[in-house]
Amino acid sequence: MNRIKINSPEGDSLIILGGTVDDIRTLLPQKGLFIITDRNVQKFHGKKFPPGEVIAIEAGENSKTLRVVEEICGQMIRAGADRSAFVLGFGGGVVCDIAGMVASVYMRGVRHAFVSTTLLSQVDASIGGKTGVNLGEYKNTIGTFRQPEFVLCDHAMLTTLPETEMRSGMGELFKHAIIRDRNLFFDISASAGQIMEGDMAVAASLILRAARIKAGVVRRDPLEKGQRRILNFGHTFGHVIETHYGIPHGLAVARGMTVAAELSAWKGEMAHTELILMQGALEDAGLLTAHQLPAEVVRMISRDKKSESGSVNFVLLRSVGRAVIRRISISELEQFVSYYNEKESQSQ
């Protein structure tokens, strides 16, 4: 079992990797525990839940709405939850987003923590204190920053995931390597088959390295005022692809990363050989889907959280393992989208 601590002005967060639910029982209150989960997680892991009031939502991105947050808060108040309540999000990325959001706003804030059950949430969604729900087609537009007291990542829970969910998590695992650690990128590439076959010892080692990358970035910039933006690599395009085509988050991010890498090469930030290297690894891992950028991509990005005063903060690459943040105007983005879609149509 490994532990990583994130210290920030908004509170400290302990990341526990490789433990089990038994390892967190002393960190939970004797009463007033509310477990927010989804029905799939409840089916597979319900017997592991600590004693508390269970609130189960429908699994999937469609649950990430203010309406669901309101419904959960209503259930909590009817159950007698006061400001001493403790929210435990038990699930993947969607559950962590919603549980964190509920804990942020219920009675102006109550204690909370996560038990992370998916690869995607163990390397990304559960760590760092971001919460959020969607506003129509715009992802995570409404949200807060609030650090969980702790995050438990029980790697054995990953063995219950379907193949698509594991591949989705691989997208975020690759992301951390591509922005910060070239050696980790090659190690993930070499181990992708073992991870997909369920080798949790290999997965645990790579998850730990990725979690350390994210924790290090969050420590330096907990509220995403500057350097933390590199964690959004692949997400600006990926969120549009995810919303338009309805594909899993991590696979959309993988495609978004290749688009961002194309933009990096188009802008002269990165050598084309690095683009080929990155794209080849994602293809070999089975993460890439053939999708053009939808017609509304520029409109949606211009209303994204990363858009400011007619330009957008993009995370680009200098090379695999080295990310940079650049501001790109909407007009330049339009030029690139035309170039990218024309290139994709010719290659199909």
Side-chain angles (χ1 to χ4, degrees):
M1 185 167 63
N2 293 280
R3 295 171 180 256
I4 302 170
K5 194 167 186 179
I6 299 176
N7 305 105
S8 78
E10 288 64 48
D12 296 342
S13 186
L14 178 65
I15 317 301
I16 305 167
L17 298 111
T20 69
V21 174
D22 288 337
D23 297 311
I24 63 168
R25 293 188 187 277
T26 58
L27 302 176
L28 296 171
Q30 295 296 312
K31 60 180 181 178
L33 179 64
F34 288 82
I35 300 169
I36 298 176
T37 189
D38 69 40
R39 302 194 193 287
N40 288 344
V41 173
Q42 187 177 30
K43 173 184 174 182
F44 285 106
H45 303 297
K47 292 181 180 179
K48 300 175 184 175
F49 290 175
E53 184 85 17
V54 177
I55 301 175
I57 62 174
E58 293 300 323
E61 192 73 14
N62 289 339
S63 288
K64 282 183 60 172
T65 66
L66 279 174
R67 178 184 58 78
V68 170
V69 171
E70 180 182 6
E71 289 175 354
I72 293 172
C73 289
Q75 291 182 61
M76 288 177 64
I77 202 163
R78 288 191 294 274
D82 57 22
R83 297 195 71 178
S84 68
F86 191 111
V87 170
L88 181 66
F90 204 120
V94 170
V95 166
C96 291
D97 271 338
I98 293 172
M101 183 76 168
V102 168
S104 295
V105 300
Y106 186 77
M107 293 194 175
R108 295 193 174 94
V110 297
R111 299 169 62 197
H112 79 295
F114 300 136
V115 176
S116 176
T117 63
T118 66
L119 179 58
L120 189 148
S121 64
Q122 291 191 9
V123 300
D124 189 69
S126 66
I127 301 171
K130 271 188 177 182
T131 81
V133 296
N134 304 332
L135 186 62
E137 63 184 356
Y138 300 103
K139 282 184 60 65
N140 301 324
T141 303
I142 302 172
T144 64
F145 286 95
R146 187 175 178 86
Q147 292 290 346
E149 291 189 11
F150 65 83
V151 178
L152 170 67
C153 300
D154 182 347
H155 305 317
M157 292 183 179
L158 304 184
T159 60
T160 65
L161 296 177
E163 179 180 330
T164 301
E165 282 297 319
M166 283 297 289
R167 291 199 189 280
S168 182
M170 288 278 288
E172 290 284 5
L173 185 63
F174 264 112
K175 180 203 73 179
H176 287 84
I178 291 168
I179 62 173
R180 268 294 167 88
D181 190 333
R182 191 176 180 90
N183 289 333
L184 178 58
F185 167 80
F186 287 116
D187 289 343
I188 296 170
S189 301
S191 305
Q194 291 170 274
I195 296 171
M196 292 304 302
E197 289 170 4
D199 190 329
M200 288 302 106
V202 170
S205 173
L206 299 174
I207 291 169
L208 174 61
R209 291 164 67 184
R212 282 174 173 161
I213 289 172
K214 181 160 189 181
V217 173
V218 172
R219 284 191 200 103
R220 289 186 289 273
D221 182 18
L223 298 182
E224 201 174 292
K225 300 295 185 182
Q227 191 61 25
R228 183 170 175 171
R229 289 170 176 167
I230 66 169
L231 296 172
N232 293 322
F233 178 62
H235 285 65
T236 306
F237 289 114
H239 280 166
V240 177
I241 292 168
E242 179 181 0
T243 300
H244 184 81
Y245 293 106
I247 64 176
H249 176 75
L251 298 182
V253 167
R255 171 52 67 185
M257 288 193 291
T258 65
V259 180
E262 284 268 14
L263 177 57
S264 303
W266 184 76
K267 288 279 291 178
E269 294 278 357
M270 182 176 72
H272 192 71
T273 52
E274 291 290 291
L275 166 63
I276 294 173
L277 172 67
M278 191 198 86
Q279 187 166 340
L282 296 179
E283 285 179 346
D284 289 345
L287 305 187
L288 294 188
T289 53
H291 290 107
Q292 283 193 318
L293 294 174
E296 66 268 26
V297 61
V298 174
R299 174 182 62 81
M300 291 183 68
I301 289 176
S302 67
R303 296 180 183 177
D304 188 271
K305 303 180 298 300
K306 296 172 278 295
S307 177
E308 300 174 14
S309 304
S311 60
V312 182
N313 289 310
F314 268 94
V315 185
L316 303 182
L317 297 178
R318 296 289 290 164
S319 62
V320 171
R322 184 184 172 195
V324 293
I325 300 167
R326 298 286 187 258
R327 292 191 67 77
I328 296 177
S329 68
I330 297 300
S331 60
E332 191 173 19
L333 176 61
E334 289 173 339
Q335 294 173 38
F336 168 73
V337 169
S338 296
Y339 157 80
Y340 179 85
N341 279 343
E342 182 177 352
K343 180 180 177 182
E344 283 295 296
S345 64
Q346 291 175 354
S347 65
Q348 293 176 4

